[in-house]
Amino acid sequence: MQTASFRKTLLSVMMGTLAICQTAMSTPSTGSALAKEDTPQTPAARPGAPWWKEAVVYQIYPRSFNDTNGDGIGDLNGITAKLDYLKTLGVDTIWLSPHFDSPNADNGYDIRDYRKVMSEFGNMDDFDRMLAEMKRRGMRLIIDLVVNHSSDEHRWFVESRQSKDNPYRDYYIWRDGRDGGAPNNYPSFFGGSAWKKDEATGQYYLHYFARKQPDLNWENPKVRAEVYDIMRFWLDKGVSGFRMDVIPFISKPDGLPDLPAENLAHPEFVYANGPRVHQYLQEMNREVLSRYDAMTVGEAFGISFEQAPLFTDARRRELDMIFHFDLVRLDRDGWRKKDWTLPELKAAYAQIDRTGGSHGWNTSFLTNHDNPRSVSHFGDDSPEWRAVSAKALATMMLTQRATPFLYQGDELGMTNYPFHGIEDYDDVEVKGQWHDFVESGKVSAEEYLSHLRQTSRDNARTPMQWSAAPNAGFTTGTPWLAVNPNYAQINATAQVDDAGSVYHHHRRLMEVRSQIPALIHGEFRDLDPANPKVFAYTRTLDDKRYLVLINFTRETVAYDLPEGLKIAATLLDNGAAQPPLQPGAASVSLQPWQATIYQL
Ligand code: ISL
Ligand code: CA
């Protein structure tokens, strides 16, 4: 743990930033006493930079965050109760996964009413109070815009399926079958065909995801107008932007021809490249976004690095940033786990940085509600190495030229869940795959489960671990999904009281990031892309240059700094380094999973 020397060196390096030292050492409560000085807006690190470039976003999966009424399901009041914990962590923007009225066929990503709060999560008063309490703390809220599809219980679809001439018929995508079967060979991501025959009219409707998630027809200008009204409704309430669910999927291929055989395993690369997606996003920007100081991030599942700038180049007036999936899905092919190498991971970071270019911007994330836990995914979640490797991954994630998105619980280094049988899983995607792969006899249950334990989305959806109390303090009832049994060792209360914890390292990283513009806006350069053990990159802005070194192994690595670089000072280390380096050093003995930010 950093000693007085940490405080002294940090002070000397960043005279102007005394604030960091002091706060880094004090330990906040996880309760809700509001500290007055917390509310002011932090000045832009780089004058003129839009707020969302300097934001640090925290993703909340409300069902699993915090339950305040004992029904075992997280709720909006549970979020409000933890805002001080988040404020002190240092995040300034919350991304709230869907909170809308939904029958929960896909945990909220199937919306029945876009202007109503899901009853399990609370009501609109709870929402308004939550938003007001965020703003009082100088925090912003972005919400999930799930408009590639709605729930089949949404009144639009209830109407649409009534008859072929119903005024809402064209809100969805209906086709006659072909040869007694589906209109084409499109697969659903959740198993089986992407078409469902509807007895009422004998036609098929399209659903890229579950049957209870019919795709909306964006060709219909009425549908687009409905979506823009919904966006204005929430922006006028004071929401600061949107995370847009599978937004590249909204424009369907003309004529809906069969997928070529080679695309059947990964249809996203066809679904994401419809002919009018950019026309619609530019219209959305003109009609809505350009009239608000709002942030937009698109979930660009199926978009290549080459296509990315089409969405994020500011001159095109579409989106501010997108989530690429090449990095988080590096080690899996659908549900199948596959090996990965550090050079592959580093290459993804370099490509992502390049796609941002000078007119775009990027996101930096290592997990979300659709991926396994970061430390189990890219770190080392064994008891001995979990904390230090979680801090190393945080150092990497929070020092990119991108807006960081931290997923709930990753600030504690929460791990994957020890799933056993299929009955342990809740996810609709798992149920579809079990049917398609195991019940069909294509794959044995053992093989499927051995992979799924490492790749399942449910790993990220287990309840937040607040304390060592029963059910990790998440609920006084029965949790909707089992709590990870390691909550006695890994929980917020213990870590907030331990200055050397993964929690506090995230806090210090966010402080350093907010004080050093180069760590946000500086040019990124990987100095040693082929190195299989060490990630060494610089961030340079004007005459300021910083080096980040991360050892991805359990061994000590003697590392000679490339290109004659010399270290001026150690800015922040994840507690692995000994002894601290002397100024002018040209080589470092990197301890196992050591992650250090140096000033050059
Ligand atoms: O990888 C996936 C498909 O095989 C999924 O993890 C995911 O479906 C995909 O990344 C799109 O995700 C988004 O849309 C889905 C929803 O289930 C996810 O939770 C959401 O993030 C449908 O709305
Ligand atoms: Ca609840």
Side-chain angles (χ1 to χ4, degrees), residues 109-150:
Y109 281 91
D110 51 311
I111 299 173
R112 177 168 51 204
D113 184 333
Y114 287 94
R115 293 178 177 78
K116 188 164 174 285
V117 170
M118 186 192 297
S119 53
E120 288 112 318
F121 293 167
N123 55 40
M124 195 60 85
D125 291 347
D126 297 334
F127 180 91
D128 295 343
R129 190 173 48 254
M130 177 188 73
L131 182 54
E133 286 295 323
M134 287 177 179
K135 288 185 177 294
R136 222 158 58 75
R137 291 168 175 78
M139 300 167 87
R140 290 183 172 94
L141 173 68
I142 66 170
I143 59 175
D144 224 302
L145 186 70
V146 186
V147 289
N148 170 71
H149 46 268
S150 75

Side-chain angles (χ1 to χ4, degrees), residues 61 95 106 109-110 146 149 189-190 209 213 243 245-246 249 299 301 325 329 332 334 368-371 428-429 433 457 461:
Y61 193 71
W95 157 24
D106 185 18
Y109 281 91
D110 51 311
V146 186
H149 46 268
F189 289 104
F190 293 161
F209 294 92
Q213 292 170 297
R243 175 266 186 189
D245 193 58
V246 285
F249 287 10
E299 188 208 17
F301 186 47
F325 286 87
R329 296 172 78 91
R332 63 190 178 102
N368 59 20
H369 62 292
D370 288 338
N371 287 281
V428 60
E429 184 174 41
Q433 289 164 348
R457 312 192 296 177
R461 299 174 179 192

Side-chain angles (χ1 to χ4, degrees), residues 34-351:
L34 179 62
K36 255 283 134 271
E37 74 280 356
D38 276 349
T39 40
Q41 295 299 323
T42 46
R46 194 154 174 82
W51 64 267
W52 42 265
K53 278 191 176 178
E54 302 188 349
V56 175
V57 184
Y58 186 92
Q59 179 192 359
I60 291 180
Y61 193 71
R63 203 171 188 81
S64 302
F65 191 65
N66 187 28
D67 171 26
T68 53
N69 65 350
D71 64 355
I73 297 173
D75 43 55
L76 301 185
N77 290 340
I79 296 171
T80 306
K82 295 295 183 181
L83 289 178
D84 284 342
Y85 164 85
L86 296 175
K87 178 65 184 171
T88 309
L89 174 61
V91 299
D92 52 35
T93 304
I94 304 291
W95 157 24
L96 183 60
S97 272
H99 64 285
F100 313 92
D101 174 43
S102 166
N104 284 304
D106 185 18
N107 291 356
Y109 281 91
D110 51 311
I111 299 173
R112 177 168 51 204
D113 184 333
Y114 287 94
R115 293 178 177 78
K116 188 164 174 285
V117 170
M118 186 192 297
S119 53
E120 288 112 318
F121 293 167
N123 55 40
M124 195 60 85
D125 291 347
D126 297 334
F127 180 91
D128 295 343
R129 190 173 48 254
M130 177 188 73
L131 182 54
E133 286 295 323
M134 287 177 179
K135 288 185 177 294
R136 222 158 58 75
R137 291 168 175 78
M139 300 167 87
R140 290 183 172 94
L141 173 68
I142 66 170
I143 59 175
D144 224 302
L145 186 70
V146 186
V147 289
N148 170 71
H149 46 268
S150 75
S151 164
D152 66 345
E153 297 184 22
H154 192 292
R155 68 180 173 79
W156 296 337
F157 191 75
V158 172
E159 284 292 326
S160 183
R161 69 190 325 167
Q162 299 302 323
S163 66
K164 292 183 181 177
D165 54 12
N166 181 288
Y168 287 91
R169 187 68 168 183
D170 198 28
Y171 270 46
Y172 295 87
I173 298 158
W174 295 94
R175 293 289 186 282
D176 293 331
R178 179 183 65 185
D179 313 332
N184 69 14
N185 65 357
Y186 278 12
S188 159
F189 289 104
F190 293 161
S193 165
W195 295 96
K196 172 87 174 63
K197 185 172 185 180
D198 198 57
E199 297 319 321
T201 59
Q203 281 197 314
Y204 290 75
Y205 67 86
L206 181 66
H207 59 89
Y208 280 166
F209 294 92
R211 289 175 173 181
K212 288 185 71 59
Q213 292 170 297
D215 281 54
L216 286 161
N217 175 21
W218 275 68
E219 305 286 330
N220 179 344
K222 291 193 191 122
V223 167
R224 300 199 304 271
E226 296 269 15
V227 170
Y228 302 156
D229 280 350
I230 290 164
M231 295 172 75
R232 293 186 196 97
F233 171 82
W234 292 101
L235 289 166
D236 291 343
K237 273 180 126 352
V239 162
S240 297
F242 301 97
R243 175 266 186 189
M244 300 186 184
D245 193 58
V246 285
I247 202 69
F249 287 10
I250 59 180
S251 171
K252 310 313 183 198
D254 281 336
L256 297 169
D258 274 337
L259 279 181
E262 68 271 14
N263 284 119
L264 285 172
H266 287 289
E268 62 267 25
F269 299 112
V270 173
Y271 294 170
N273 291 295
R276 282 170 286 286
V277 64
H278 295 294
Q279 175 193 329
Y280 297 151
L281 290 176
Q282 288 169 14
E283 180 187 76
M284 178 196 278
N285 197 301
R286 258 192 329 275
E287 297 298 320
V288 183
L289 300 166
S290 58
R291 302 157 196 246
Y292 295 86
D293 176 17
M295 161 189 163
T296 53
V297 53
E299 188 208 17
F301 186 47
I303 293 296
S304 69
F305 288 125
E306 290 64 38
Q307 293 156 331
L310 298 173
F311 291 86
T312 60
D313 183 321
R315 298 167 295 181
R316 294 175 55 88
R317 297 189 177 292
E318 299 188 19
L319 304 177
D320 297 320
M321 58 191 105
I322 60 172
F323 294 129
H324 297 273
F325 286 87
D326 306 71
L327 195 147
V328 291
R329 296 172 78 91
L330 193 61
D331 67 332
R332 63 190 178 102
D333 179 0
W335 55 265
R336 277 192 181 77
K337 173 83 172 161
K338 64 184 175 149
D339 290 338
W340 62 281
T341 68
L342 184 59
E344 287 171 341
L345 179 122
K346 297 191 283 188
Y349 269 112
Q351 279 186 316

Side-chain angles (χ1 to χ4, degrees), residues 407-469:
Y407 181 67
Q408 69 181 47
D410 262 23
E411 78 274 19
L412 305 175
M414 281 174 61
T415 70
N416 280 357
Y417 180 91
F419 289 108
H420 183 62
I422 191 64
E423 64 286 351
D424 292 346
Y425 294 91
D426 164 81
D427 185 4
V428 60
E429 184 174 41
V430 168
K431 304 221 162 54
Q433 289 164 348
W434 181 261
H435 176 272
D436 277 15
F437 291 93
V438 177
E439 287 172 346
S440 66
K442 285 200 197 97
V443 175
S444 70
E446 290 65 48
E447 188 198 353
Y448 174 66
L449 291 170
S450 66
H451 284 265
L452 190 65
R453 288 187 191 101
Q454 302 169 75
T455 60
S456 170
R457 312 192 296 177
D458 279 346
N459 280 305
R461 299 174 179 192
T462 61
M464 183 67 177
Q465 296 166 210
W466 290 108
S467 71

